[in-house]
């Protein structure tokens, strides 16, 4: 890792530090339902507080676009409600719905509950600013003492955050002498607080926190210098979403395993019949190219050999379904593949068992349905059992599966950023990391 970290800055005492965190935690009725992201940010915050810095924390929460969108689109139900009214009442009714959506977003997506929890965790040293760069934030930042923290309100309450507005960046930069990025989950986004504030030259010292340092060290190093055999497993819905990931991983790994909805386009490209399974016909040529590329590079590309099928996609997604298992190359015309079969689970698990480095992104089937979750569970179990191997789960659904199954402490690294880790797997440089100072 050639980027400077908080440890590379020698004197924090009295310095005002803006720390971009990822406090985008799941909430229900104002209650935080999973505080892992808050806990993940603590080592950096505590380090800075103990070193005598004045810490200004910022983060986004959700997507509160209704607050500043000029034209808010109504959902189907509200649209029907408005259209059922007499023409002269429609505009006012629409406006009322929009106003309510804005109010709801402000209430639902405030960072106030995060501030409350942080304050409990950090011994009552955290205050909350009810705006981002407005008078309350300015007053609270000015009053912040050494070893204390201020959390600003949700950055995305301003459209300027995602649009990298220069004036907004200047206001944020006026709160700090040093910038710290510790939000791995948004490091692939080029927004005001994640990259632009540094790219515009508004802060000179920009370093990463412990969370980003850990993510990069484990993931980037494993990709660049893997202990072999190196097995990469990809699943999830669509091939189109992961084109560059497939191509890049094929170059780096020894075996690439493909499961989930992505597998059927590959199976069809090999001459299989896939029934009504998810297929992207436009990507058949791409899949053929990848099969050829694997051969040319001497890499193993493993696809499912048997498939769990149903007559139709479950609706709702967790509704009871009748399943049977068929050969992956011969899925009947009226059947849909929704999970990997038992033989495939054993085959994939065997490969994982023999590996020294394993990375995994994307479920093996429609794991939201308990009847169709066995393939995903089997891969998670195989990673948990892979003794002596570095095992990495790249965020998102596969990370949630490992955590829910209680395997978190048996896996070397579960990333906090699904999108960001996929971009690392693609070989991309993340803007939130590229902008940071290099080590001297
Ligand atoms: P992604 O966001 O690309 O990682 O995709 C995750 C989604 O892929 C999950 O919601 C799964 O239900 C879905 N998925 C996995 N396997 C299949 C499949 N065989 N057919 C349809 N969807 C699938």
């Amino acid at each position: 890792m050639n980027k400077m970290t908080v440890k590379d800055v020698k004197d924090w005492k009295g310095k005002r530090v803006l720390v971009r965190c990822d406090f985008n935690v799941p909430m229900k009725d104002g209650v935080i339902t999973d505080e892992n992201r808050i806990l993940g940010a603590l080592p950096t915050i505590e380090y800075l507080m103990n070193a005598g810095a004045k810490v200004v924390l910022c983060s986004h929460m959700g997507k509160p676009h209704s607050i500043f969108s000029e034209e808010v689109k109504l959902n189907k139900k509200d649209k029907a409600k408005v259209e059922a009214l007499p023409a002269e009442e429609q505009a006012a009714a629409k406006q009322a719905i929009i106003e309510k959506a804005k109010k709801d977003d402000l209430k639902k997506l405030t960072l106030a509950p995060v501030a409350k929890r942080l304050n409990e965790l950090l011994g009552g040293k955290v205050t909350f600013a009810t705006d981002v760069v407005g008078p309350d934030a300015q007053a609270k930042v000015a009053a912040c003492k050494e070893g204390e923290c201020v959390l600003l309100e949700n950055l995305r309450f301003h459209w300027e955050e995602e649009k990298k507005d220069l004036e907004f960046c200047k206001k944020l930069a006026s709160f700090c002498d040093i910038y710290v990025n510790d939000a791995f989950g948004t490091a692939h986004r080029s927004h005001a607080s994640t990259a632009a504030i540094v790219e515009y030259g508004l802060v000179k010292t920009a370093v990463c926190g412990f969370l980003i340092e850990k993510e990069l060290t484990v993931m980037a190093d494993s990709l660049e210098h893997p202990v072999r055999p190196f097995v990469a497993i990809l699943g999830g819905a669509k091939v189109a979403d992961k084109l560059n990931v497939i191509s890049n991983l094929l170059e780096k790994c020894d075996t690439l395993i493909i499961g989930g909805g992505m597998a059927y386009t590959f199976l069809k490209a090999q001459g299989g019949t896939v029934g009504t399974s998810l297929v992207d016909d436009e990507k058949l040529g791409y899949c053929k190219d990848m099969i050829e590329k694997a051969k040319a590079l001497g890499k193993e590309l493993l696809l499912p050999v048997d498939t769990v099928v149903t007559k139709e996609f479950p609706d709702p997604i967790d509704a009871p379904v009748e399943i049977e298992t068929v050969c992956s190359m011969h899925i009947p015309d009226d059947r849909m593949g929704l999970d990997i079969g038992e033989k495939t689970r054993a085959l994939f698990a065997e490969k994982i068992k023999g590996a020294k480095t394993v990375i995994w992104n994307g479920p093996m089937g429609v794991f939201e349905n308990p009847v169709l979750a066995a393939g995903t569970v089997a891969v998670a179990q195989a990673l948990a059992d892979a003794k002596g191997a570095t095992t990495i789960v790249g965020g998102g659904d596969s990370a949630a599966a490992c955590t829910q199954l209680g395997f978190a402490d048996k896996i070397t690294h579960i990333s906090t950023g699904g999108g960001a880790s996929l971009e690392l797997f693609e070989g991309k440089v993340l803007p939130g990391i590229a902008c940071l100072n290099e080590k001297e």
Side-chain angles (χ1 to χ4, degrees):
M1 238 257 314
N2 63 345
K3 292 292 178 184
M4 277 174 70
T5 77
V6 287
K7 287 232 161 125
D8 295 313
V9 175
K10 292 293 165 257
D11 187 14
W12 290 102
K13 199 165 163 43
K15 298 273 176 13
R16 296 168 314 144
V17 188
L18 182 71
V19 188
R20 177 52 159 105
C21 300
D22 181 3
F23 291 141
N24 184 27
V25 290
M27 298 243 261
K28 198 160 192 281
D29 305 324
V31 177
I32 299 165
T33 55
D34 178 352
E35 63 179 21
N36 272 322
R37 285 186 168 161
I38 300 178
L39 301 180
L42 288 181
T44 300
I45 301 172
E46 285 176 320
Y47 179 85
L48 295 171
M49 288 168 78
N50 291 338
K54 300 173 180 176
V55 184
V56 182
L57 305 169
C58 63
S59 172
H60 76 284
M61 164 81 90
K63 292 186 177 149
H65 291 163
S66 71
I67 291 162
F68 47 74
S69 296
E70 289 287 307
E71 181 56 31
V72 176
K73 283 207 180 89
L74 299 189
N75 63 32
K76 263 192 198 157
K77 214 170 110 200
D78 286 338
K79 204 166 166 229
K81 237 198 239 167
V82 170
E83 283 170 359
L85 293 169
E88 64 277 13
E89 289 173 27
Q90 289 189 2
K94 187 178 170 193
Q95 197 51 38
I97 291 170
I98 292 170
E99 289 308 321
K100 183 170 178 309
K102 287 183 186 181
K103 256 195 209 144
D104 287 352
D105 265 357
L106 280 169
K107 210 165 123 198
K108 238 178 16 210
L109 301 176
T110 172
L111 282 171
V114 174
K116 185 166 172 273
R117 183 67 187 124
L118 270 175
N119 199 34
E120 287 163 7
L121 291 163
L122 295 169
K125 292 189 177 154
V126 182
T127 51
F128 179 58
T130 55
D131 52 27
V132 183
V133 287
D136 197 45
Q138 288 169 23
K140 299 253 164 75
V141 172
C144 183
K145 298 198 181 74
E146 290 177 13
E148 290 182 354
C149 272
V150 180
L151 172 63
L152 307 179
E153 181 54 287
N154 187 351
L155 289 158
R156 289 196 191 159
F157 282 175
H158 285 261
W159 61 265
E160 294 93 332
E161 162 67 359
E162 287 176 76
K163 297 281 182 232
K164 308 207 282 186
D165 179 72
L166 177 61
E167 292 310 312
F168 182 68
C169 288
K170 281 184 186 165
K171 287 180 192 160
L172 278 178
S174 75
F175 290 158
C176 71
D177 308 303
I178 299 177
Y179 168 83
V180 175
N181 192 357
D182 210 18
F184 182 73
T186 46
H188 60 312
R189 306 268 182 233
S190 179
H191 293 164
S193 68
T194 60
I197 183 172
V198 187
E199 288 166 357
Y200 292 155
L202 301 169
V203 260
K204 293 284 172 273
T205 309
V207 304
C208 67
F210 295 120
L211 188 66
I212 284 199
E213 182 188 18
K214 184 175 170 220
E215 294 270 10
L216 279 188
T217 308
V218 181
M219 289 205 279
D221 287 0
S222 294
L223 279 173
E224 292 316 316
H225 313 286
V227 183
R228 297 184 184 277
F230 174 16
V231 174
I233 310 146
L234 285 178
K238 293 187 214 134
V239 179
D241 293 343
K242 295 184 183 158
L243 298 179
N244 296 329
V245 185
I246 298 168
S247 175
N248 190 46
L249 285 181
L250 210 44
E251 282 165 24
K252 308 235 182 275
C253 69
D254 301 297
T255 301
L256 178 61
I257 292 178
I258 294 198
M262 291 168 59
Y264 307 103
T265 310
F266 275 92
L267 290 164
K268 190 169 174 183
Q270 283 193 324
T273 56
V274 294
T276 55
S277 311
L278 197 65
V279 166
D280 187 347
D281 282 313
E282 278 180 20
K283 296 291 173 265
L284 284 171
Y286 172 84
C287 291
K288 282 183 191 154
D289 289 348
M290 287 303 112
I291 293 164
E292 285 311 311
K293 181 170 173 168
K295 273 189 204 146
L297 292 170
K299 304 292 173 78
E300 190 177 26
L301 180 65
L302 272 189
L303 294 169
V305 292
D306 61 347
T307 295
V308 173
V309 296
T310 64
K311 279 197 185 131
E312 51 206 15
F313 197 89
D315 181 23
I317 201 159
D318 56 352
V321 272
E322 253 182 58
I323 55 168
E324 56 189 304
T325 301
V326 300
C327 166
S328 297
M329 288 296 275
H330 304 284
I331 298 178
D333 289 347
D334 60 348
R335 292 291 189 276
M336 177 182 283
L338 293 179
D339 195 12
I340 54 173
E342 220 167 296
K343 283 187 195 146
T344 307
R345 286 171 225 160
L347 175 73
F348 290 1
E350 197 55 34
K351 271 288 151 201
I352 294 166
K353 196 173 159 196
K356 285 275 178 282
T357 305
V358 187
I359 62 170
W360 175 32
N361 182 288
M364 295 291 105
V366 180
F367 73 105
E368 295 92 337
N369 188 310
V371 181
L372 302 166
T376 304
V377 173
V379 167
Q381 180 77 61
L383 258 78
D385 292 345
K387 305 252 158 29
T390 299
T391 47
I392 296 169
V393 180
D397 292 330
S398 9
C402 289
T403 312
Q404 277 158 25
L405 291 163
F407 295 157
D409 57 352
K410 296 198 176 101
I411 286 167
T412 313
H413 183 69
I414 299 185
S415 176
T416 54
S421 57
L422 257 189
E423 291 200 11
L424 275 187
F425 295 170
E426 256 182 62
K428 276 195 188 161
V429 181
L430 312 184
I433 291 164
C435 69
L436 304 176
N437 300 157
E438 303 263 310
K439 274 192 202 284
E440 281 165 12

